[in-house]
Amino acid sequence: MIEVPTALGIPTLRTTLEPSPADPARGLVDRFGRRATDLRISLTDKCNLRCTYCMPAGGMDWLPKQDLLTTAEIRHLVRVGVDQLGVRELRLTGGEPLIRADLEEIVAGVREDHPDLPVSITTNAIGLARRAAGLKQAGLTRLNVSLDTLDPQTFRMLARRDRLADVLEGVEAAVDAGLTPVKLNAVLMRGVNDHEAPELLAWALERGLSLRFIEQMPLDADHGWTREGMITAQEIRDRLSTRFDLSPHPADRDGAPAELWDVRPLGAAEGTAEDNAEGTPGGTDAAPTDDVLGTVGIIASVTEPFCGDCKRTRITAEGEVRSCLFSHEEFSLRDLLREPLKNGESAQDRDTAIADRWLAAMWIKPAAHGMDHVGLDSADFVQPERSMSAIGG
Ligand code: SAM
Ligand code: SF4
């Protein structure tokens, strides 16, 4: 049994990690047969917004700079993940990844090591207008931008900063730079921006952007989440249905967190079916695809969880592996990166040790996050100590 120091921010806990029976050749598998191929690395816990569902208005203790993974350390971990553990996709997140001045260098480095690896970022897009072209040149594949509202006043209330114009400029720059498909993430808050759902979707569709609504999860630093306050996936569909017809998108979800819906103008689905019945041989069997405006995604992490198909493995900004957003345990890979090689130990041996710790941390991934349809009063669920910005969303 290995004793591993575990940092959950403050305080630091100590926990033990059993060597896992997982086989590196099979990748980052867990006890329930899931295989994690999608790596999310947080680049920083800092952010220039203070979204109410994520961060407190003030008083966050930032990680000291020397605790953050360096560019070289990030490249090193991605190499171990891709070359030894079957990682097939990388997302850089935070906090706000654009806060890192070396983001372009990180992307270019990873791209040099892995020419075919899809590399994306999740960003609030502040400052993206200046950096989108450079990120594309560095080898970024595409990006996700968080956009919860199109109203400057609502933005100020939700993000506690007056920066909507910067975000919109950033989205435009990303499209111009060819960082496509640009995906938008929106969290709806009851009585704040939930009425805007159809307008946000219309705005995204007009621009060919792919919008996904995310149910608010209990990962806010203020621990203010309530089930009543959360806009559920069903409510999101209801709000969108006031302006659009939604029907399940035919493609296989393949473990993706978002359930996709085809979007048509209100009433168009029946209209098309009737037209088909009159005008085409085969009649009503013909699929009414011609008037699809696009798709919308709904990520129902709370009410329709998809833990059974989860493919994610996460590394925090200071190099701790988390098997789940809602984990209470973390295991440091940074310690192994920084510890001097022991007598007789080769760099390859050390990489094997890193891979073993990563495998062992993922092997004990919980079956599910413990929030069920009934509610979070269940004894199974305890909100993690870290908030979303400190974990890496
Ligand atoms: N700062 C970047 C951004 O906002 O896109 C990246 C980090 S942020 C933590 C990643 C994503 O997590 C964002 O799309 C954000 O909306 C989402 N998020 C943050 N807190 C959340 C919560 N409590 N529930 C659901 N999604 C949340
Ligand atoms: Fe910052 Fe993203 Fe959290 Fe908003 S959601 S406070 S932009 S880290």
Side-chain angles (χ1 to χ4, degrees):
M1 191 178 291
I2 321 161
E3 186 141 283
V4 183
T6 302
L8 280 172
I10 304 163
T12 296
L13 302 178
R14 201 160 256 283
T15 190
T16 50
L17 188 56
E18 302 271 358
S20 83
D23 169 6
R26 289 176 56 219
L28 292 165
V29 289
D30 64 40
R31 295 164 294 163
F32 306 97
R34 293 167 297 187
R35 187 160 172 262
T37 53
D38 175 358
L39 169 59
R40 310 235 160 158
I41 301 184
S42 172
L43 300 186
T44 175
D45 55 334
K46 285 190 182 160
C47 189
N48 36 21
L49 296 183
R50 293 289 181 277
C51 304
T52 52
Y53 51 73
C54 179
M55 288 180 106
M60 287 286 275
D61 288 330
W62 308 123
L63 291 167
K65 188 156 188 266
Q66 67 272 18
D67 284 2
L68 299 182
L69 292 175
T70 63
T71 307
E73 288 170 340
I74 291 166
R75 282 177 73 170
H76 192 152
L77 289 180
V78 176
R79 276 199 302 274
V80 173
V82 172
D83 297 343
Q84 298 190 32
L85 299 172
V87 164
R88 292 290 168 264
E89 199 176 322
L90 173 66
R91 171 84 55 88
L92 302 171
T93 181
E96 176 44 50
L98 287 171
I99 295 239
R100 288 273 297 238
D102 58 351
L103 178 60
E104 290 79 354
E105 199 189 326
I106 295 169
V107 171
V110 169
R111 176 60 62 231
E112 189 185 327
D113 297 340
H114 313 282
D116 300 324
L117 184 73
V119 181
S120 59
I121 59 172
T122 301
T123 173
N124 63 26
I126 291 175
L128 184 60
R130 280 182 286 107
R131 296 173 70 181
L135 283 165
K136 175 73 181 175
Q137 205 176 3
L140 191 70
T141 313
R142 43 161 302 276
L143 45 72
N144 283 19
V145 173
S146 298
L147 180 67
D148 302 322
T149 175
L150 294 166
D151 178 65
Q153 248 176 315
T154 308
F155 190 94
R156 205 177 313 132
M157 195 173 4
L158 238 167
R160 301 189 181 104
R161 299 287 186 273
D162 191 7
R163 306 295 296 269
L164 177 62
D166 303 70
V167 177
L168 298 181
E169 239 184 277
V171 172
E172 205 179 310
V175 174
D176 290 349
L179 290 167
T180 48
V182 172
K183 292 189 183 173
L184 301 177
N185 293 347
V187 176
L188 296 179
M189 305 282 283
R190 195 176 299 286
V192 180
N193 64 337
D194 53 327
H195 61 284
E196 272 192 74
E199 191 188 338
L200 273 168
L201 179 54
W203 190 90
L205 291 170
E206 274 163 27
R207 288 160 182 77
L209 309 173
S210 168
L211 176 65
R212 295 128 35 102
F213 290 99
I214 309 175
E215 276 182 349
Q216 189 200 350
M217 294 178 274
L219 287 170
D220 56 312
D222 288 333
H223 288 230
W225 185 98
T226 62
R227 193 174 179 87
E228 304 71 47
M230 174 187 62
I231 303 289
T232 64
Q234 184 56 52
E235 288 179 285
I236 295 167
R237 291 190 286 268
D238 291 346
R239 278 163 180 61
L240 296 177
S241 298
T242 60
R243 184 153 165 192
F244 301 101
D245 273 329
L246 303 184
S247 55
H249 186 66
D252 184 13
R253 190 164 166 182
D254 190 28
E259 184 167 23
L260 280 185
W261 298 80
D262 283 339
V263 183
R264 294 185 176 80
L266 207 55
E270 300 117 60
T272 311
E274 272 164 31
D275 294 347
N276 286 340
E278 282 167 17
T280 49
T284 48
D285 286 340
T289 51
D290 35 330
D291 50 5
V292 172
L293 302 171
T295 57
V296 64
I298 300 182
I299 303 181
S301 321
V302 180
T303 62
E304 298 160 22
F306 36 85
C307 303
D309 290 324
C310 183
K311 290 183 180 175
R312 267 154 292 284
T313 178
R314 295 173 186 277
I315 296 180
T316 67
E318 74 270 54
E320 306 271 333
V321 182
R322 288 177 77 92
S323 60
C324 171
L325 265 180
F326 294 91
S327 292
H328 293 279
E329 289 184 304
E330 299 182 344
F331 303 96
S332 180
L333 298 185
R334 191 197 59 196
D335 290 354
L336 288 174
L337 286 171
R338 293 191 181 174
E339 222 171 82
L341 294 177
K342 296 187 185 89
N343 255 350
E345 188 185 23
S346 68
Q348 212 178 350
D349 294 336
R350 182 55 64 89
D351 280 357
T352 303
I354 292 171
D356 284 347
R357 190 174 287 181
W358 198 339
L359 281 162
M362 291 304 294
W363 179 253
I364 56 170
K365 179 173 171 125
H369 51 45
M371 300 178 282
D372 53 20
H373 293 230
V374 188
L376 303 186
D377 308 331
S378 134
D380 287 349
F381 183 78
V382 180
Q383 179 166 343
E385 198 165 328
R386 282 192 198 250
S387 63
M388 190 67 140
S389 64
I391 297 169

